[in-house]
Amino acid sequence: MAQQPEQPRERVRGREGSPWSGLWAVVAKEMADHLTGMRMRILEILIVLTAVGTVYAATQNLRETVGQDPFILLRLFTTSREPLPAFVGFLGFLVPLIAIALAFDSVNGEFSRRTMSRILAQPIYRDALLLGKFLAGIFTLALVLATIWLLIIGSGMIGLGVPPSGEEVARSLWFLLATIFYGGIWLSVAMLFSIIFRQPATAALASIATWLFFTVFWGILAGVLAPILQPVRYGFPEEILAQAQLELTLTRFSPNTLYTEVMLALLQPTVRSVGLVLPIQLHGAVLGTPLPLSQSVLLVWPQLTGLIAATILLFALGYVLFQRQEIRA
Amino acid sequence: MGELVVETHDLTKKYGDLVAVDKLNLSIRQGEVFGILGPNGSGKTTTILMLLGLTEPTSGSVRVLGLDPARQPLSVKARVGYMPDEVGFYDELSARVNLIYIAKLNSLPRAEAHRRIEEALTRMGLHDVADQPVRTFSRGMRRRLGVAEVLLKRPQLVILDEPTQGLDPEGAREFLNIIRSLKQDGITVLLSSHLLHQVQAVCDRVGLFHRGRMVLEGSVPELAQKVLAGAYHVWLQVEGPEETIREALRQLPGAQDVTREDHNRYRVVASEDLRAEAARAVVQAGGHLLSLGVETPSLDDIYARYFEEVHHGTAT
């Protein structure tokens, strides 16, 4: 039989249509799932209880100093009273918990429910599905955090009887933004694991293990690694300084460190540096006076962009893996 | 002959060293019900995924409704309905909400979507349970919901992967009727299955898959002709001397094999329908013909015989 000549394949430049068609349908569906799901309700109760408890405790403490502090409302977030830690301390682990809970079964859940091939057989690209799920997670997180933010500011106004100043609102809004992206990192991590592992339980465990590693062990590890990589041989101040600098750099690979630093600078206007400060650098500084907002933001700009960049980077990694994934189990 | 709805040319898919689909040349005409048959792991689902553009072929070309699924996936997926095997839904959502999501993904306008959803639910007999969570649905109801979803698109081609697997006989029968009704609407249907008698009941043509290759293709009688050679089994109930009757049947032109099953029951395997000739021969030989009939070959026989041959072929 004569071989048919190979038909020249007609080339359509790029892909057909928009990669985002169906995106908002996915976002709407996923957000509806998040907001009505039992999982989310439990977390909401948890976080509202935390907010009420810590803010109440903080109000009790702050009553005595009302009028002396120009940033009294910001103190609501950071003031602690034994035995409770401050609200921001709680946020440091509640936000990752919420983010992981929102995303650990986002992709593999579709496989285990056997809905993945059915959804991808609709006229949408995978891009829309993955980005839709991510955006739905971020929006849900933003919604929850914004609600709590309003609750805290509101109850603080009632409890303390002072209206917030423009600067306080601006600072706490920046803080809200930083918190959302801090959640975004853990959302991306959980989503990445939900793409890699087919079992939702494995993905959840892996996410929590990663979080634990950075929260508990990374700081210790940085303390061990710095002297090895940058040993102090002769005891020169430069050597000691370099070692401390390295340790600080290492700890900043952890999103927790970045977030803590951002939080510190934004909520405590008197904080002038989040790194090492030599006495000579403080020459001429009036200690204890607050910095203007723009300077505080500038101070943690690298940390802030780092949080956002890490979110995007992790999402991109998940995106590439998901695009290459075979639909067959 | 209608135009081709599905056309593949030397379609190949490899997973590493494993060749899942090997140089497949498949063509399905418009309005046809085509069955893909084969044991598990013979490349049925991989073929389907390539037709939908959900998996990229390693080599070869695919055309679905004249489009290339790898290049124009959105157009293909907007026109082709697909129901995967063990179709899954969002269990906590109602049937209607599940369909609304799909309608949105297909960018159907709201009013149109609503109309199509009601229509599809009614047609599949799910209208009364439309607002119950899918969690409460039986397997058969889920499959019907799967078809309802497929119908939302008003598809030109419907692909069903193992549509009747795991259904009780009543549910399976019902489902076969659904497939027939799709055909009546002029929709081309491609279904994969390993439940042969069901495939035989609805398919115009079948393709037999084995290790990624389509080893046989055609209508069931054609396949029977190819594989079983003597495709017709004529049975007769005759009273009379055994040897003469046996000899008379053996003399028939086209008879390949004559066996005596019971004391007065004979079976003639022939390449054509020999009932009339057999009756005459028996009577002329002095036998009393009590009854006779012909068994049309079943796909089960073809399938069993084919793989028997394959195994013998590989053994020797």
Side-chain angles (χ1 to χ4, degrees), chain A residues 159-241:
Chain A
L160 296 172
V162 272
S165 67
E167 168 129 7
E168 276 177 313
V169 173
R171 277 180 181 274
S172 55
L173 276 177
W174 273 100
F175 167 66
L176 183 64
L177 185 77
T179 311
I180 291 168
F181 275 100
Y182 174 58
I185 289 182
W186 296 109
L187 200 67
S188 306
V189 167
M191 201 171 234
L192 182 64
F193 284 129
S194 91
I195 293 165
I196 295 172
F197 299 112
R198 277 292 157 95
Q199 295 295 325
T202 318
L205 258 177
S207 313
I208 288 175
T210 311
W211 170 66
L212 263 183
F213 173 77
F214 278 116
T215 311
V216 180
F217 298 111
W218 184 245
I220 303 170
L221 214 61
V224 174
L225 280 178
I228 297 169
L229 296 173
Q230 193 74 257
V232 178
R233 286 205 184 85
Y234 310 106
F236 291 139
E238 288 87 350
E239 279 183 331
I240 297 169
L241 194 65

Side-chain angles (χ1 to χ4, degrees), chain A residues 30-90:
Chain A
E30 293 290 324
M31 265 194 92
D33 278 1
H34 288 328
L35 295 178
T36 54
M38 200 30 132
R39 194 188 296 169
M40 202 56 217
R41 219 159 292 168
I42 292 169
L43 289 172
E44 274 161 13
I45 291 170
L46 192 67
I47 201 163
V48 166
L49 279 181
T50 323
V52 169
T54 50
V55 169
Y56 176 75
T59 322
Q60 295 299 314
N61 250 11
L62 291 173
R63 279 240 169 99
E64 295 131 35
T65 54
V66 173
Q68 295 159 23
D69 194 333
F71 296 103
I72 189 92
L73 278 176
L74 292 184
R75 296 226 176 269
L76 281 176
F77 295 96
T78 51
T79 305
S80 60
R81 190 163 107 161
E82 289 299 322
L84 277 180
F87 181 61
V88 285
F90 272 114

Side-chain angles (χ1 to χ4, degrees), chain A residues 16 110 118 120 122-123 328, chain B residues 46 75 77 88 90 106 149:
Chain A
E16 169 209 30
E110 298 274 355
R118 204 169 54 84
L120 290 181
Q122 307 309 322
R328 299 201 70 170
Chain B
T46 308
S75 304
K77 290 193 281 187
Y90 300 107
N106 278 282
E149 181 210 295

Side-chain angles (χ1 to χ4, degrees), chain A residues 262-286:
Chain A
V262 171
M263 193 170 79
L264 220 60
L266 287 175
L267 293 181
Q268 300 195 336
T270 49
V271 169
R272 313 191 143 247
S273 167
V274 287
L276 295 173
V277 183
L278 296 179
I280 195 162
Q281 290 170 311
L282 286 176
H283 183 73
V286 186

